[in-house]
Amino acid sequence: MRALTEQAIRDSFVNCSRGEAKRLATPRGLDELPWEDLDFLGWRDPGAPDRSCLVSERDGGLVGVTLRLPSSRRGFLHRSMCSLCLTTHPGGGVSLMTARKAGAAGREGNSVGVYVCADLACSLYVRGKKTPLSGSRFEESLTTEQQIARTVGNLSAFLAKLYA
C-alpha cells in the first residue's frame, strides 16, 4: 500500500458524512507505518472502543470504511477465524465488524458485516510479521504472495458489498 496522509484518509470514507470523517481519530505516526507490508490500513478508535476504521486502495482510488464492533467478548477457549486473512485467534481476537453501506442504502440503515482480526493486522499476520496469541497460523500450501492475494481479494469482495 502507498503511504497516506491524514487528509487522504479522511477524504476516503464512503459510509459516513464529511463531518463524521473529520471527527474520526486517525492513526498516529503515519510516516512510521510499514506501508510496504500493508494491504490496507486498519485501526481501532481509542476514543470509541466499539469503532474501528479501514482504508484500502480500490479501482485506483481509496475507500475508507467505519466499522462497528459488538460490545460482548468471547472466552479465551473460543477460537474464531478472520474472513479476510484466515488467521485463527482465541477469545476476542476476531470480531464481527459491521459497516454502514455507502450512499442512500447506508442512510436508510443498511449495513454489511465481516469477521476480521480485532486488531486489523491481517497484512502482518499473512506475512509472518505478527503472531496471533495462539502462537502461530495454520500451515498452508499457498505461498505468502498467494495468501496476500487471497486476503486482498476477500477485502475487495467485502468492500464491493458496501455499494451493492
Side-chain angles (χ1 to χ4, degrees):
M1 181 167 198
R2 62 185 161 105
L4 302 176
T5 64
E6 181 179 333
Q7 190 59 50
I9 292 169
R10 291 187 188 287
D11 290 344
S12 72
F13 286 95
V14 298
N15 68 337
C16 63
S17 70
R18 293 235 181 255
E20 289 171 320
K22 186 176 181 180
R23 292 186 298 273
L24 286 174
T26 57
R28 295 184 183 166
L30 288 173
D31 52 342
E32 299 167 10
L33 292 176
W35 292 104
E36 63 281 352
D37 291 327
L38 298 179
D39 303 307
F40 63 90
L41 175 63
W43 70 97
R44 299 283 296 267
D45 186 339
D50 66 335
R51 183 173 48 214
S52 58
C53 301
L54 184 147
V55 176
S56 178
E57 294 174 318
R58 185 169 189 262
D59 297 330
L62 292 175
V63 175
V65 180
T66 58
L67 301 159
R68 294 280 179 188
L69 290 92
S71 57
S72 64
R73 297 285 177 207
R74 295 186 181 124
F76 190 77
L77 296 177
H78 182 88
R79 298 184 62 81
S80 299
M81 181 181 284
C82 173
S83 298
L84 300 182
C85 67
L86 305 187
T87 299
T88 59
H89 294 274
V94 171
S95 291
L96 172 63
M97 296 190 191
T98 58
R100 230 180 348 184
K101 286 188 149 197
R107 288 188 293 277
E108 292 174 7
N110 296 325
S111 63
V112 293
V114 63
Y115 284 95
V116 67
C117 295
D119 60 3
L120 297 164
C122 299
S123 302
L124 302 179
Y125 290 123
V126 168
R127 288 169 172 79
K129 300 200 181 244
K130 189 169 184 178
T131 306
L133 287 177
S134 60
S136 64
R137 295 181 73 229
F138 287 115
E139 192 170 323
E140 294 191 65
S141 59
L142 298 177
T143 66
T144 300
E145 290 75 25
Q146 290 170 322
Q147 292 177 49
I148 291 168
R150 179 185 60 205
T151 300
V152 170
N154 290 342
L155 175 60
S156 181
F158 169 70
L159 294 175
K161 292 177 185 176
L162 293 175
Y163 299 97

